[in-house]
């Protein structure tokens, strides 16, 4: 068993021992930039090697074919000379005319050999005179049969590219053949001579490919912030979890205004589905302030917009690629609570004023009693109680829905404390058959509040409310004695965020009229503003199908009285 290896400890009096250096590992890099660069270099190298090999393979065959064709051309030229006549009149000899002519042709063409043979295969010429008169080393039968031959073969002079042609006399009869050889080493030399140039071109192409791969990888590195593939995968997973987990709507747009991304909350707030992704923003949202805010045509921070019945706060941040990311927050509940807070404050102020007025009345009553003016005290009490009772009776007589009636009674009290007369027109009549009373409460409350603000401080300040039922449609008109709305602003005032008032403590103004119009349009109606008879503003809201059909009256049992009084009517409870 081998002894355990221990690291040396610090020497006495010497410096502390350093921990052993960690061995550096060489392996596949983690960064996406390095991985892409290595892959591109490997691909470029492989393609270059493959292209070079594919080019060299046919080049070798092409050089062989050129050498064989050259040899055949020399053989055909030799066979067309006076070789046939010399072959018939002389004997094979190193000093004969056939040998002399063949050597002349060989030297002038650069061939390795020019061999002339008769029909028996006996050489009449050769580069080695000793071989003259001997039988050739390769089979000449095909050439002697009248065929031309091209081949790569080995003979007495070694391996060569050969061309053979039949030798014919003046009558066309075959009297022999001519065999010409091109030294194969010269073919190989040409191939080897072409390789350096080819490798130079291949190296240049590889260098250009490597440079392009490096530049692409650097661009990719900048765009991905030098992250690893695992980091990008983790970021994508975290992004998906974050986008679908937060309670704010997120909409990402590209440079052309198309929706690239939209999380679940944004789909809910905008009333869209996943199929809206990839479509232009104006196409899926239509024209309006919401599309203008998200597209960047309306600028600013915390922009208010209304989508359906929702009040949204939008912020838009451009991205470096020309697109943008917009966030949406649902402010519907906050806005409703803020309006309720405003109403509550108004009621508190009214109650505080009434408390002060009530104290004054009690003091008056106490004085009358101390003066023993009992009849005057009784008349004073009846007068005070009758005013409030008359107001409630007037409202509930014409407005049968309890929520709307209670709202108008409360608004009448607030109006009285602000020095404004709130009146219900004589022709008003609203039955207790509302499909959604809260919807009408929102409409009436917004219009009456605006009318009180406009009429407050004017001479003979007053607000008239006209509520009528025309079949299943509710028509509301609110007229004030204020300065009115100029003609050029009558459409602008229904835009989200537009207001001439100071914002309240709880948030933004400019939403009430926009909500009123959206509620009316959602039911197929309309909200508009015009000039009143006295010069003030007259708002008209039409709400189709806001009333249920009237239920038929059943005959009452015998002995029981009949009646049409509503159980919610305030006028009956005295």
């Amino acid at each position: 068993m081998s002894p355990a290896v221990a690291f040396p400890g610090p020497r006495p009096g010497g410096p502390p021992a350093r921990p052993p250096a960690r061995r550096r590992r060489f392996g596949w890099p983690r960064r996406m930039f390095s991985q892409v660069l290595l892959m591109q270099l490997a691909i470029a190298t492989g393609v270059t090697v493959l292209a070079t090999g594919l080019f060299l393979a046919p080049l070798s065959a092409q050089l062989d074919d050129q050498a064989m064709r050259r040899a055949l051309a020399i053989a055909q030229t030799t066979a067309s000379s006076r070789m046939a006549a010399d072959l018939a009149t002389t004997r094979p000899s190193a000093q004969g005319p056939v040998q002399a002519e063949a050597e002349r042709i060989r030297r002038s063409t650069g061939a390795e050999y020019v061999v002339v043979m008769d029909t028996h295969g006996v050489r009449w010429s050769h580069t080695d005179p000793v071989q003259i008169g001997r039988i050739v080393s390769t089979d000449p039968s095909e050439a002697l049969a009248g065929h031309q031959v091209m081949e790569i073969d080995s003979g007495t002079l070694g391996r060569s590219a050969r061309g053979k042609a039949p030798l014919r006399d003046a009558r066309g009869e075959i009297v022999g053949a001519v065999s010409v050889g091109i030294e194969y080493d010269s073919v190989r030399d040409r191939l080897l001579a072409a390789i350096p140039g080819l490798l130079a071109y291949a190296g240049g192409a590889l260098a250009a490919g490597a440079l392009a791969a490096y530049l692409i990888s650097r661009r990719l590195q900048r765009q991905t912030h030098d992250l690893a593939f695992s980091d990008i995968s983790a970021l994508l997973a975290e992004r998906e979890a974050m986008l679908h987990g937060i309670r704010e709507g997120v909409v990402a747009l590209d440079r052309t205004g198309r929706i690239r991304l939209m999380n679940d909350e944004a789909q809910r707030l905008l009333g869209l589905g996943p199929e809206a992704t990839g479509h232009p923003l104006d196409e899926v949202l239509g024209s309006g302030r919401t599309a203008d805010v998200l597209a960047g045509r309306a600028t600013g921070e915390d922009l208010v917009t209304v989508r359906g019945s929702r009040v949204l706060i939008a912020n838009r941040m451009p991205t470096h690629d020309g697109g943008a990311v917009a966030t949406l927050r649902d402010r519907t509940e906050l806005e409703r609570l803020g309006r309720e807070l405003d109403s509550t404050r108004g009621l508190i102020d009214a109650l505080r004023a009434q408390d002060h007025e009530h104290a004054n009345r009690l003091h008056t009553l106490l004085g009358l009693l101390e003066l023993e003016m009992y009849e005057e005290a009784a008349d004073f009490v009846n007068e005070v109680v009758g005013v409030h009772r008359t107001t409630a009776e007037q409202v509930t007589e014409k407005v049968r829905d309890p929520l709307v009636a209670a709202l108008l009674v409360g608004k009448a009290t607030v109006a009285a404390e602000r020095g404004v007369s709130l009146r219900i027109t004589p022709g008003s009549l609203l039955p207790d058959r509302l499909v959604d009373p809260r919807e009408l409460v929102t409409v009436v409350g917004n219009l009456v509040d605006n009318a009180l603000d406009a009429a407050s401080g004017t001479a003979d300040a007053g607000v008239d409310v006209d509520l009528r039922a025309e079949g299943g449609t509710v028509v509301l008109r609110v007229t004030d004695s204020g300065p009115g709305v100029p003609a050029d602003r009558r459409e602008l005032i229904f835009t989200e965020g537009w207001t001439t008032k100071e914002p309240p403590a709880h948030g933004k103004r400019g939403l009430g009229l926009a909500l009123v119009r959206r509620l009316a349009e959602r039911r197929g109606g309309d909200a508009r503003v015009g000039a009143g008879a006295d010069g003030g503003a007259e708002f008209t809201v039409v709400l189709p199908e806001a009333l249920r059909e009237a239920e038929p009256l059943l005959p009452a049992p015998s002995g029981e009285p009949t009646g049409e009084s509503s159980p919610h009517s305030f006028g009956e409870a005295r």
Side-chain angles (χ1 to χ4, degrees):
M1 184 175 181
S2 59
V5 178
F7 296 111
R11 296 179 180 178
R18 294 182 179 179
R22 180 175 297 177
R23 181 175 296 178
R24 187 174 182 180
R25 292 186 176 181
F26 294 93
W28 190 250
R30 292 184 65 253
R31 299 294 180 187
M32 185 172 65
F33 158 74
S34 304
Q35 292 185 19
V36 172
L37 179 59
L38 288 179
M39 286 189 290
Q40 288 181 327
L41 289 177
I43 292 173
T45 303
V47 170
T48 303
V49 171
L50 180 61
T52 304
L54 293 176
F55 181 78
L56 285 176
L59 177 61
S60 177
Q62 184 180 4
L63 292 177
D64 290 347
D65 184 70
Q66 290 178 356
M68 290 187 293
R69 291 184 180 278
R70 180 185 170 201
L72 180 61
I74 297 173
Q76 291 173 340
T77 303
T78 303
S80 63
S81 62
R82 295 181 59 186
M83 286 288 184
D86 294 337
L87 195 65
T89 58
T90 61
R91 300 289 296 173
S93 170
Q95 289 78 27
V98 175
Q99 170 70 1
E101 181 67 14
E103 286 298 302
R104 184 187 67 79
I105 294 174
R106 183 186 67 80
R107 287 192 295 269
S108 62
T109 58
E112 183 181 11
Y113 63 85
V114 177
V115 175
V116 180
M117 67 191 78
D118 58 15
T119 55
H120 301 289
V122 177
R123 297 188 186 99
W124 285 64
S125 66
H126 198 277
T127 54
D128 184 7
V130 178
Q131 300 295 331
I132 297 175
R134 296 181 180 179
I135 302 297
V136 294
S137 59
T138 57
D139 184 14
S141 58
E142 191 173 356
L144 293 175
H147 302 291
Q148 296 178 351
V149 179
M150 293 190 303
E151 61 184 0
I152 303 292
D153 203 355
S154 299
T156 57
L157 296 179
R159 189 171 180 81
S160 61
R162 299 182 179 185
K164 297 179 182 180
L167 182 61
R168 301 176 185 271
D169 59 9
R171 294 173 298 183
E173 296 181 359
I174 296 176
V175 296
V178 179
S179 177
V180 177
I182 302 296
E183 187 178 3
Y184 194 74
D185 289 341
S186 63
V187 178
R188 185 182 303 165
D189 292 341
R190 289 180 61 190
L191 178 61
L192 295 177
I195 290 177
L198 180 61
L199 292 180
Y201 285 116
L206 180 60
L211 179 60
Y214 177 76
L215 295 177
I216 293 174
S217 299
R218 288 290 298 177
R219 177 179 176 82
L220 185 63
Q221 182 185 26
R222 290 193 298 269
Q223 292 182 340
T224 58
H225 303 283
D226 199 21
L227 295 174
F229 279 111
S230 58
D231 297 335
I232 294 177
S233 177
L235 285 175
L236 287 175
E238 292 170 0
R239 188 200 70 165
E240 290 298 317
M242 178 185 66
L243 287 177
H244 296 288
I246 60 176
R247 301 308 299 170
E248 287 191 2
V250 178
V251 180
L253 306 172
D254 62 12
R255 65 178 63 191
T256 62
R258 292 181 179 271
I259 299 176
R260 288 192 299 194
L261 175 69
M262 186 166 49
N263 68 347
D264 299 338
E265 185 67 6
Q267 296 176 19
R268 185 183 70 86
L269 296 177
L270 297 176
L272 302 176
E275 65 277 0
T277 303
H279 292 274
L281 185 67
D282 294 330
E283 177 183 320
V284 298
L285 291 181
S287 59
R289 179 173 171 82
T290 302
D292 293 339
V293 169
L294 297 183
R297 294 188 287 269
T299 58
E301 296 182 356
D302 292 338
L303 298 176
V304 181
T305 180
V306 178
R307 179 69 178 174
S309 60
R310 299 185 181 279
V311 179
L312 306 177
I313 301 296
N315 284 282
R316 188 177 186 274
M317 178 64 67
T319 57
H320 69 280
D321 60 350
V325 175
T327 58
L328 301 170
R329 285 176 289 162
D330 191 355
R331 197 185 174 88
T332 307
E333 289 299 319
L334 182 60
E335 186 65 25
R336 183 182 64 81
L337 293 175
R339 290 188 172 274
E340 291 181 358
L341 178 61
D342 287 343
S343 300
T344 303
R345 286 177 176 174
L347 289 175
I348 291 175
D349 292 339
L351 290 175
R352 186 180 297 112
Q354 283 188 357
D355 179 66
H356 184 268
E357 183 181 0
H358 183 64
N360 292 333
R361 288 170 179 171
L362 287 179
H363 291 158
T364 302
L365 180 61
L366 179 61
L368 291 174
L369 293 176
E370 290 180 350
L371 295 175
E372 297 182 356
M373 301 174 65
Y374 303 115
E375 293 183 2
E376 288 80 357
D379 293 338
F380 180 75
V381 172
N382 289 330
E383 180 183 357
V384 172
V385 174
V387 170
H388 292 283
R389 179 178 298 173
T390 301
T391 302
E393 287 179 352
Q394 289 177 349
V395 172
T396 55
E397 181 182 355
K398 299 179 181 299
V399 180
R400 303 293 178 81
D401 185 84
L403 289 180
V404 180
L407 173 70
L408 290 175
V409 170
K411 294 297 183 184
T413 303
V414 174
E417 296 303 325
R418 298 179 63 177
V420 180
S421 174
L422 179 63
R423 299 177 292 268
I424 307 297
T425 60
S428 296
L429 181 60
L430 181 68
D432 186 15
R433 293 187 284 111
L434 288 175
V435 175
D436 188 356
R438 295 182 181 275
E439 186 177 88
L440 187 58
V441 165
T442 299
V443 174
V444 173
N446 279 299
L447 294 183
V448 171
D449 284 341
N450 289 339
L452 292 178
D453 290 339
S456 181
T458 62
D460 297 328
V463 174
D464 294 330
V465 178
D466 184 83
L467 270 170
R468 299 174 184 267
E470 299 178 358
T473 302
V474 173
V475 179
L476 168 66
R477 290 185 178 88
V478 177
T479 308
D480 62 67
S481 61
V485 179
D488 58 342
R489 294 187 178 183
R490 289 178 182 174
E491 284 300 318
L492 188 61
I493 62 174
F494 290 101
T495 304
E496 300 96 323
W498 191 91
T499 183
T500 58
K501 306 173 186 177
E502 291 295 327
H506 62 82
K508 306 260 182 196
R509 281 194 181 273
L511 298 177
L513 293 178
L515 280 174
V516 168
R517 171 165 281 187
R518 290 298 175 87
L519 289 173
E521 291 177 346
R522 191 172 62 178
R523 285 197 168 273
D526 189 21
R528 59 186 182 274
V529 61
D534 298 330
E538 181 180 85
F539 287 85
T540 303
V541 179
V542 179
L543 299 174
E545 300 180 2
L547 293 174
R548 295 188 299 268
E549 294 183 2
E551 298 180 359
L553 294 176
L554 298 176
S558 60
E560 293 185 8
T562 61
E564 297 181 0
S565 61
S566 171
H568 300 288
S569 175
F570 293 165
E572 298 298 330
R574 297 188 179 181

